[in-house]
Amino acid sequence: MSRSAKPRQLTGKVVLASLVAFFGVVFGVNGLMMTLAIKTLPGTEVDSAYAASLAYENEIAAARDQQQRGWKVDAKLDRRPDGTATLRVEAHDKAGLPLTGLVFASRLERPADKQFDREITLAELGDGVYQGGLTDLKPGGWDLVLEGDQNGMRMFLSKNRLKLD
């Protein structure tokens, strides 16, 4: 005895349910991916591009002033195998005289992920030499950002890419 199964008919309700389910999955996955992308945001340079664009002219003027001062600032970062590191900065003016009385702020920034950024506090040792250290510095690519302030005004800024072993 064989029964012949009655073929299932494709009705408007089935088509509507299939379309709603398909687009529901597509929108759900897109929403999840957008949420994850917005929450992570690694690698962004500034929080607000608009605010950065307003300050752009001031940055250009500060860079011109820095170039006219002709300061020579050398920085050397030594990382030891145990992860400790020492940053030594030597600052001299155009005539080669040591720059004293500056307040240097330094940061090591991970280009790909800001959560690993590290601050290095520098102390003036004398004769234009500033030094600071930190522990547990991981190897890899870093950006060294140096800012030198005098009387509360930024006089020097540099950003250099480093590769630490």
Side-chain angles (χ1 to χ4, degrees):
M1 295 194 170
S2 76
R3 283 182 155 179
S4 63
K6 186 177 176 184
R8 191 170 176 205
Q9 287 189 341
L10 186 63
T11 64
K13 290 180 181 179
V14 172
V15 172
L16 178 63
S18 298
L19 283 173
V20 168
F22 173 77
F23 283 108
V25 169
V26 169
F27 288 134
V29 170
N30 283 343
L32 175 67
M33 298 302 280
M34 285 189 319
T35 302
L36 293 174
I38 290 169
K39 282 185 179 178
T40 55
L41 279 180
T44 57
E45 286 288 323
V46 293
D47 291 331
S48 170
Y50 177 71
S53 70
L54 293 177
Y56 189 66
E57 289 295 325
N58 293 336
E59 291 296 322
I60 291 173
R64 285 188 185 129
D65 292 343
Q66 178 176 322
Q67 186 176 17
Q68 287 176 350
R69 277 189 287 280
W71 289 1
K72 182 169 174 40
V73 178
D74 293 319
K76 183 175 182 188
L77 181 69
D78 289 322
R79 182 184 176 276
R80 290 176 281 290
D82 64 356
T84 59
T86 302
L87 176 63
R88 182 180 175 93
V89 176
E90 295 183 19
H92 297 88
D93 65 8
K94 194 183 281 190
L97 299 172
L99 290 169
T100 59
L102 295 174
V103 176
F104 271 101
S106 61
R107 290 185 311 278
L108 281 172
E109 299 176 345
R110 279 281 196 196
D113 197 343
K114 296 291 183 190
Q115 73 178 352
F116 295 111
D117 291 358
R118 305 285 303 272
E119 297 282 334
I120 303 174
T121 303
L122 297 176
E124 185 173 357
L125 301 180
D127 292 332
V129 177
Y130 302 82
Q131 187 168 310
L134 55 100
T135 59
D136 196 30
L137 181 62
K138 305 288 185 212
W142 293 90
D143 288 335
L144 174 62
V145 179
L146 280 175
E147 292 185 43
D149 294 354
Q150 189 175 47
N151 300 326
M153 185 174 163
R154 188 179 79 197
M155 304 296 282
F156 180 82
L157 173 67
S158 75
K159 184 175 184 179
N160 297 287
R161 179 69 46 102
L162 304 174
K163 173 84 169 122
L164 301 178
D165 296 326

